[in-house]
Amino acid sequence: LSRAAVPRLRLAPDTEPGTLPPDGHPLARALDQLIARREFDVHFQPIVDSAQVRVLGFEALVRPPSTSPLASPPVLFQVAAELGRLVELERHVVRRIIRKFVDLQLPGRVFINVSADTLISTRHRHPLSLPELARCGLPADDIVVELTETRAVLDEEALATVVASLRASGLSFALDDLGQGFASLKRWLDLRPDFVKIDRHFVDGVARDPLRRQFVRSILEMAHSSGAAVIAEGLEQADDWRVLRDLGTSLFQGYLFARPSPSPRTDLLLDALARLSRSE
Ligand code: C2E
Ligand code: MG
Ligand code: MG
């Protein structure tokens, strides 16, 4: 299900999150059950450094049951936001991600998608606070928070404050889906992320499209000036990889290297990466 299909699921137009009557609606019931029984899994997709043939880390991606009407992650988070349950859901998801990442003993860092709403919420103990992380045995500098969003942030100042304080405690930040929706240049300027992730739309087909190449060149230049590392997302084609590499990108995530998996095999991944580099 594409991101573009998500708005059609809005339960009611022009409604603020949390103001809908949650009772009885089938999606509300499905969400209730998913949260109450923690009925979701987490998969991990590697982010590789193809120049150095190493794994930078893994992005954690939630996987609801395939039979649920909320099986698509974007739909799940959109519906949770509509029903005012996004922060609650994300707290459970973040906890599960951290526990599973520690259990799997994966190398590198874990990239965790978190909405601005959850970051600025003071309703509960913060799932990324140092005591919470210490309890799970994960050092703060193993974590990269990917700022993802389902709606415009209302309080930009609060967001900048929280980002600064989490960063002071050792976490890194990534601006997700650069070039899409809310991942704006203003956000980049205000938050000075450690990583920017170029949205798949700009990556896919870059080998055949001079304008895409020019966009990527400009992003790399801005990233260089601001001290951010660039990750190209959604890489599927080897010819796109070659073009991006020649432009100066070395961090990649996409099906070309590996799909998200419940228990990734780093050894196989590194073999594939070495073969690709040698094939040049
Ligand atoms: P995202 O954070 O941009 O995640 C990348 C999405 O691209 C994932 O979809 C991933 O499976 C997919 N992808 C990776 N490589 C390729 C590729 O080569 N080709 C194609 N076509 N797709 C690729 P997924 O898992 O369906 O997640 C979609 C979105 O849902 C995520 O976009 C993120 O915004 C949200 N999401 C997923 N898990 C979480 C989570 O735990 N918390 C939050 N807040 N949002 C999440
Ligand atoms: Mg992401
Ligand atoms: Mg993304």
Side-chain angles (χ1 to χ4, degrees), residues 44-67:
F44 293 91
Q45 185 181 31
I47 300 171
V48 301
D49 181 336
S50 69
Q52 309 216 14
V53 191
R54 70 181 184 102
V55 178
L56 177 72
F58 292 83
E59 178 172 8
L61 295 159
V62 78
R63 288 293 174 262
S66 58
T67 51

Side-chain angles (χ1 to χ4, degrees), residues 46-48 53-55 57-58 257-258 265-274:
I47 300 171
V48 301
V53 191
R54 70 181 184 102
V55 178
F58 292 83
F257 296 109
R265 288 280 306 270
T266 309
D267 50 343
L268 298 182
L269 172 68
L270 289 173
D271 287 348
L273 201 51

Side-chain angles (χ1 to χ4, degrees), residues 117-258:
D117 292 78
T118 293
L119 284 178
I120 62 182
S121 164
T122 49
R123 267 194 282 153
H124 312 272
R125 187 135 58 100
H126 206 286
L128 293 167
S129 65
L130 289 181
E132 285 283 299
L133 297 179
R135 233 165 32 90
C136 304
L138 188 64
D141 54 11
D142 281 357
I143 297 178
V144 182
V145 173
E146 291 194 10
L147 187 62
T148 44
E149 264 168 281
T150 43
R151 66 186 181 107
V153 181
L154 302 175
D155 193 344
E156 295 281 343
E157 211 171 296
L159 178 63
T161 307
V162 175
V163 167
S165 92
L166 287 176
R167 190 179 260 144
S169 58
L171 287 86
S172 299
F173 269 85
L175 191 58
D176 203 3
D177 305 330
L178 182 76
Q180 263 252 58
F182 301 111
S184 64
L185 295 181
K186 175 180 182 299
R187 186 59 60 70
W188 186 344
L189 207 54
D190 290 349
L191 298 182
R192 311 286 164 116
D194 306 279
F195 296 91
V196 292
K197 299 187 80 174
I198 310 181
D199 189 70
R200 176 160 67 89
H201 185 71
F202 300 90
V203 169
D204 189 34
V206 70
R208 280 166 284 111
D209 182 8
L211 188 55
R212 279 185 166 75
R213 275 202 293 286
Q214 192 51 53
F215 272 45
V216 171
R217 242 185 236 117
S218 305
I219 291 171
L220 287 170
E221 219 170 279
M222 290 189 292
H224 184 74
S225 310
S226 78
V230 172
I231 299 170
E233 285 194 298
L235 183 75
E236 295 184 10
Q237 306 295 334
D239 55 349
D240 289 336
W241 169 72
R242 271 182 215 100
V243 165
L244 290 167
R245 179 203 56 188
D246 293 347
L247 288 174
T249 322
S250 69
L251 305 179
F252 298 97
Q253 177 181 356
Y255 298 167
L256 179 66
F257 296 109

